[in-house]
Amino acid sequence: VRSKGGVVEAGRGYPLIEDRIQGEILRYVRVVDRSVARSELTEALGVSRSKISLAVGRLLEAGLLVEDGLAESEGGRRSSLLRIPRAAGLIAAVDLGATSIDVALSTLGSELVAHRGEPADVKEGPKAVLGRVKDLLSELLEEQGASRHDVRAIGVGVPGPVEQASGLLRSPPIMPGWDRFPIRDAFAGEYAAPVFVDNDVNVMALGEHWGGVGKGVDNLLFIKIGTGVGGGIIADRSLYRGTQGCAGDIGHICVDPDGPVCSCGNRGCLEAMAAAPAIALKAERCARDGVSPRLSGVLEERGELSAKDVGEAASVGDYHALEIIRESGRLVGQALATLVSILNPSLIVIGGGVANIGHSLLAEIRSTVYRRSLPLATRNLPIVLSELDQIAGVTGASVLAAEGVLQTTRVG
Amino acid sequence: VRSKGGVVEAGRGYPLIEDRIQGEILRYVRVVDRSVARSELTEALGVSRSKISLAVGRLLEAGLLVEDGLAESEGGRRSSLLRIPRAAGLIAAVDLGATSIDVALSTLGSELVAHRGEPADVKEGPKAVLGRVKDLLSELLEEQGASRHDVRAIGVGVPGPVEQASGLLRSPPIMPGWDRFPIRDAFAGEYAAPVFVDNDVNVMALGEHWGGVGKGVDNLLFIKIGTGVGGGIIADRSLYRGTQGCAGDIGHICVDPDGPVCSCGNRGCLEAMAAAPAIALKAERCARDGVSPRLSGVLEERGELSAKDVGEAASVGDYHALEIIRESGRLVGQALATLVSILNPSLIVIGGGVANIGHSLLAEIRSTVYRRSLPLATRNLPIVLSELDQIAGVTGASVLAAEGVLQTTRVG
């Protein structure tokens, strides 16, 4: 296996498909998520009956489709239904967070079959973190009685901006040592499968759109609030990445021109004022000022405070903790109102570690967005918590990889 | 001709096309803007040779394509090239501004063949304004030796939010009397062509993307600064409208929480602080305060000041006029920095009446955007003035109508 132009070169069974129509067939069957008749494919893809028959024949030979029961009669002889079998192969899905690793295996239909998550520190650098990722993948494969050769594509979400053309991280602020690290190549020695890399929030948006609360929604915003703040945009049913792949990077929207200086050099960025570190910092200030005995107690006991501590304090009625959470909600809501004016989505999904800090966060986000946006844009605009939560990332990484490999007919 | 579900019902020659493939062929030939061989269509659309031949045959019969020269030999016999003839029909394109009407005729390939613009007041209401539009259209048709029957589709841009499903204006703030007015029906008595309505800024974005500085650009933002401020979004080569059709409605982004109250009820909206009326208001204040003798002079002479007066004062070195323009530029730039973070476009086009107020506006927008946005997103981000300017709207209205009618195979 050699690497060329950033994409792993042909190994066993790669490229998976031979032409565009084969890819379209498999992508269609993936999405409808049931067995499909040839006639439905002809209709849905607007391709001639004979081309569909030819392509289906090749996919059956390759084991990427199997016949599965008979279609309803349409007057003529009954034709068999088609579906993607489990034996068609696996997708390896990886979700790197600032403080966590999640690894999963899924079918080619992006149904998770195994998942494992553990705490990690992305600051340990690519070698250590990706080494651990590969160990976890090996364990999962072994448990499933599968091997590296069964992996047809690898999807990776990372907590930083990814340049789409190269698949490289570009100056990721919270990932020292990862700038321009060739993540794709890290798998090349062991896996003969193509590797698709994208920003973690884009990947979570894909996951929630594929299998969560955003299923079937055309225009969706996924907002992650954790160590950073970011957004993933589904526009007209597709992930919108922008020109350099950094669309949705809302952490550096200015919410207060007089606010604190952010790591990016500007003042009052949303991330610097509302994400987990800002919440912890405000809590430490309260604890030191002695206005919140509860926060002071935790700080004294442990020497530091986390966003989670603030959530717990708020849940037992600590007024200052509640105010800190509400302020984050208000700031996120303020930026979201702008996003709503620009993108006019029909659903906003809030995820990430801070999302579950307490209901007052969501309540404050909602009331700020509804107050600040134009009535037409918010008439039918639910703002909800992520449904997939911990598995939104790996689900989306699987979707990224499956969609990617089914659009790749040539290598290089 | 009857109206049903908002779309004009079949008149002579409508629907224009019989099926999806015919529409795809014509849309492809439109976009490449040259004569095309059948083999190129087969390749580009991924449809079988026989289907292409059948569809092309029908389009030749209908006069929507003609044969035009021979293709380069590919070993076999040379096939003829195809193009859309002028006789295939005309598109009527209408661009309504708050203070202007522009009407044009174009080919099905969205090449303008006649254009007329005049001042108007949209506040006179739909009956008076659309009556004038229809008079201008009749004049243009007569000049071209054409009739209403030659019009294959009508595109209309309006300065307010348009609900896509119904084609109706929804509570347009600067268009009293137009709320929910059935614009499509206003043409139904005279034209047997379908009418496509969209927001004026969306239409200008389409125009600039089709035939202006944005040609060939995948991700483009068009910003109109005039009586209002609005944005049109081209994302992955298509106009992005959002769920209710109000994506890009950036006039009500908050740029100063302590700013003046806007017509929408919120404080410090971009439109209330940076558009033409705000510029005129600030100038009047300067004139009354006596700090700018030049502005005072114009106010005294005419009893009011316009944004244009401010531009002229600035051009002869009036410091206060220049400061007013710079402030508008800074505020627009501030909102644009947010848009850039969210959408990561590769080109920003500035148009509308205020765009030409003076170079200091564009200079201030540029420096604010480049200062406030993340380096990755602004690395290759030209911010330029609209190239089509006065005809951006009618060009886009033609594109809207042509694309629309070539996607409509059934009526109702």
Side-chain angles (χ1 to χ4, degrees):
Chain A
V1 174
R2 288 180 305 125
S3 166
K4 185 177 160 187
V7 175
V8 173
E9 219 170 323
R12 170 184 167 277
Y14 179 74
L16 208 53
I17 50 166
E18 297 165 319
D19 59 33
R20 189 167 72 92
I21 294 180
Q22 290 183 17
E24 281 187 20
I25 291 171
L26 291 177
R27 290 166 70 201
Y28 182 81
V29 178
R30 258 173 62 79
V31 170
V32 298
D33 195 23
R34 56 175 164 73
S35 299
V36 168
R38 284 171 180 79
S39 56
E40 181 178 341
L41 293 172
T42 306
E43 179 80 13
L45 305 182
V47 176
S48 71
R49 214 183 163 83
S50 60
K51 275 209 168 167
I52 292 288
S53 280
L54 190 68
V56 165
R58 304 281 290 166
L59 292 171
L60 288 168
E61 274 172 42
L64 293 170
L65 284 179
V66 290
E67 297 193 312
D68 180 37
L70 291 175
E72 294 289 312
S73 172
E74 292 176 11
R77 75 186 167 84
R78 294 174 67 190
S79 72
S80 56
L81 293 170
L82 303 158
R83 65 171 175 81
I84 301 171
R86 184 115 170 207
L90 294 168
I91 307 273
V94 180
D95 178 25
L96 299 181
T99 58
S100 61
I101 294 175
D102 282 272
V103 172
L105 294 174
S106 83
T107 64
L108 277 194
S110 289
E111 191 186 329
L112 295 197
V113 295
H115 167 236
R116 187 156 305 157
E118 61 180 38
D121 186 355
V122 81
K123 293 201 192 75
E124 285 179 12
K127 231 172 153 177
V129 171
L130 291 175
R132 184 64 193 141
V133 162
K134 287 192 279 183
D135 288 348
L136 287 171
L137 262 186
S138 300
E139 284 175 30
L140 288 184
L141 283 168
E142 202 178 328
E143 281 173 25
Q144 296 294 314
S147 86
R148 292 176 321 198
H149 300 296
D150 298 310
V151 174
R152 302 304 205 131
I154 301 172
V156 184
V158 291
V162 175
E163 194 176 59
Q164 274 306 302
S166 63
L168 297 176
L169 277 154
R170 298 304 306 272
S171 322
I174 58 174
M175 299 175 75
W178 288 76
D179 190 26
R180 303 196 68 81
F181 183 85
I183 295 179
R184 288 175 183 163
D185 292 353
F187 292 89
E190 290 153 61
Y191 291 87
V195 182
F196 300 87
V197 184
D198 207 335
N199 179 265
D200 60 343
V201 192
N202 281 350
V203 157
M204 290 167 100
L206 277 178
E208 206 65 58
H209 184 246
W210 173 265
V213 66
K215 201 175 171 78
V217 171
D218 288 359
N219 304 304
L220 151 77
L221 264 180
F222 187 96
I223 305 296
K224 180 188 181 183
I225 317 171
T227 308
V229 178
I233 301 168
I234 304 286
D236 293 335
R237 287 186 295 281
S238 298
L239 182 65
Y240 175 70
R241 292 187 172 91
T243 302
Q244 276 85 18
C246 56
D249 196 350
I250 62 165
H252 302 278
I253 288 181
C254 175
V255 287
D256 181 358
D258 307 317
V261 173
C262 177
S263 60
C264 75
N266 284 315
R267 269 192 185 280
C269 293
L270 177 61
E271 190 165 302
M273 294 186 67
I279 291 173
L281 197 72
K282 288 176 199 171
E284 285 184 17
R285 227 176 274 141
C286 277
R288 294 225 166 78
D289 291 352
V291 295
S292 161
R294 190 186 160 97
L295 291 174
S296 303
V298 181
L299 180 62
E300 205 163 296
E301 198 186 307
R302 288 219 311 274
E304 60 173 12
L305 282 169
S306 69
K308 204 165 164 242
D309 297 325
V310 181
E312 281 165 9
S315 74
V316 295
D318 184 286
Y319 172 78
H320 293 278
L322 199 63
E323 275 302 298
I324 290 170
I325 292 172
R326 281 204 187 122
E327 194 185 5
S328 272
R330 190 174 52 73
L331 292 165
V332 170
Q334 210 171 303
L336 268 180
T338 297
L339 275 156
V340 166
S341 294
I342 295 168
L343 293 168
N344 185 202
S346 46
L347 178 68
I348 295 177
V349 184
I350 311 283
V354 174
N356 298 313
I357 199 171
H359 182 259
S360 51
L361 179 83
L362 197 61
E364 194 68 29
I365 290 175
R366 278 200 188 107
S367 62
T368 308
V369 171
Y370 295 151
R371 196 170 55 234
R372 270 246 58 120
S373 306
L374 291 182
L376 182 59
T378 54
R379 211 175 32 180
N380 288 301
L381 180 61
I383 301 176
V384 300
L385 286 179
S386 167
E387 190 180 291
L388 300 183
D389 203 21
Q390 196 61 19
I391 59 164
V394 284
T395 303
S398 162
V399 173
L400 176 76
E403 290 286 319
V405 76
L406 294 179
Q407 285 180 73
T408 311
T409 54
R410 255 178 310 235
V411 171
Chain B
V1 176
R2 288 180 304 124
S3 165
K4 187 175 157 188
V7 176
V8 174
E9 218 170 324
R12 171 181 166 279
Y14 179 73
L16 209 54
I17 49 165
E18 297 166 319
D19 59 34
R20 190 165 72 91
I21 294 179
Q22 291 182 17
E24 281 187 18
I25 290 172
L26 291 177
R27 290 165 69 201
Y28 182 82
V29 177
R30 259 174 63 79
V31 171
V32 297
D33 196 24
R34 55 173 166 74
S35 299
V36 168
R38 284 172 182 78
S39 57
E40 180 177 342
L41 293 172
T42 305
E43 180 81 12
L45 305 182
V47 176
S48 71
R49 213 182 162 82
S50 60
K51 274 205 169 171
I52 292 287
S53 279
L54 190 69
V56 166
R58 303 280 290 165
L59 291 170
L60 288 168
E61 273 171 43
L64 293 169
L65 284 179
V66 289
E67 298 193 311
D68 180 36
L70 290 174
E72 295 289 313
S73 172
E74 292 175 14
R77 75 185 166 85
R78 293 173 69 190
S79 72
S80 55
L81 293 169
L82 303 159
R83 65 172 175 81
I84 301 172
R86 182 115 171 210
L90 294 168
I91 307 273
V94 180
D95 177 25
L96 299 181
T99 59
S100 62
I101 294 175
D102 282 274
V103 172
L105 294 174
S106 83
T107 64
L108 276 194
S110 289
E111 191 186 327
L112 295 197
V113 295
H115 167 235
R116 188 154 304 156
E118 61 180 38
D121 186 355
V122 81
K123 291 200 194 77
E124 285 181 11
K127 231 168 151 182
V129 172
L130 292 176
R132 185 65 193 141
V133 162
K134 286 192 280 183
D135 287 349
L136 288 171
L137 262 187
S138 299
E139 284 175 30
L140 288 184
L141 284 168
E142 203 179 328
E143 281 171 25
Q144 296 294 315
S147 85
R148 293 175 321 198
H149 301 296
D150 298 310
V151 174
R152 302 304 206 131
I154 301 172
V156 184
V158 291
V162 176
E163 193 175 62
Q164 274 306 304
S166 63
L168 298 177
L169 277 153
R170 298 303 306 271
S171 323
I174 58 172
M175 300 176 76
W178 289 77
D179 189 27
R180 304 196 68 78
F181 183 85
I183 295 178
R184 287 175 183 163
D185 292 354
F187 293 90
E190 292 153 59
Y191 291 87
V195 182
F196 300 88
V197 184
D198 207 334
N199 180 265
D200 60 343
V201 192
N202 282 349
V203 158
M204 290 167 99
L206 277 177
E208 207 65 57
H209 184 246
W210 174 265
V213 65
K215 200 173 171 79
V217 171
D218 288 359
N219 304 306
L220 152 77
L221 263 179
F222 186 96
I223 305 296
K224 180 188 180 184
I225 317 173
T227 308
V229 177
I233 301 167
I234 304 285
D236 293 335
R237 286 186 295 283
S238 299
L239 182 65
Y240 175 70
R241 292 189 172 91
T243 303
Q244 276 84 17
C246 55
D249 196 350
I250 62 163
H252 302 278
I253 288 181
C254 176
V255 286
D256 181 358
D258 306 318
V261 173
C262 177
S263 61
C264 76
N266 283 315
R267 270 192 184 279
C269 294
L270 176 60
E271 189 164 303
M273 295 186 66
I279 291 173
L281 196 72
K282 287 176 199 171
E284 285 184 17
R285 229 177 274 143
C286 278
R288 292 223 169 77
D289 291 353
V291 295
S292 160
R294 189 186 161 95
L295 290 173
S296 302
V298 181
L299 180 63
E300 207 164 296
E301 198 185 308
R302 289 217 313 272
E304 59 173 15
L305 283 171
S306 68
K308 203 164 163 245
D309 297 325
V310 181
E312 281 163 8
S315 73
V316 295
D318 185 287
Y319 172 78
H320 293 277
L322 199 62
E323 274 303 298
I324 291 170
I325 291 171
R326 281 202 187 123
E327 194 185 5
S328 272
R330 190 175 49 74
L331 291 166
V332 170
Q334 211 171 302
L336 268 180
T338 298
L339 275 155
V340 167
S341 294
I342 295 168
L343 293 169
N344 184 202
S346 46
L347 177 69
I348 295 177
V349 184
I350 311 283
V354 174
N356 298 314
I357 200 170
H359 182 259
S360 51
L361 180 83
L362 197 61
E364 194 68 31
I365 290 175
R366 279 202 188 105
S367 63
T368 309
V369 171
Y370 296 150
R371 193 170 57 233
R372 271 246 57 120
S373 306
L374 291 182
L376 182 58
T378 54
R379 210 176 33 176
N380 287 301
L381 179 61
I383 301 176
V384 300
L385 286 179
S386 168
E387 190 180 291
L388 301 182
D389 203 21
Q390 196 61 18
I391 59 163
V394 285
T395 303
S398 163
V399 174
L400 176 76
E403 289 286 318
V405 75
L406 295 179
Q407 286 182 71
T408 311
T409 53
R410 253 178 311 236
V411 172

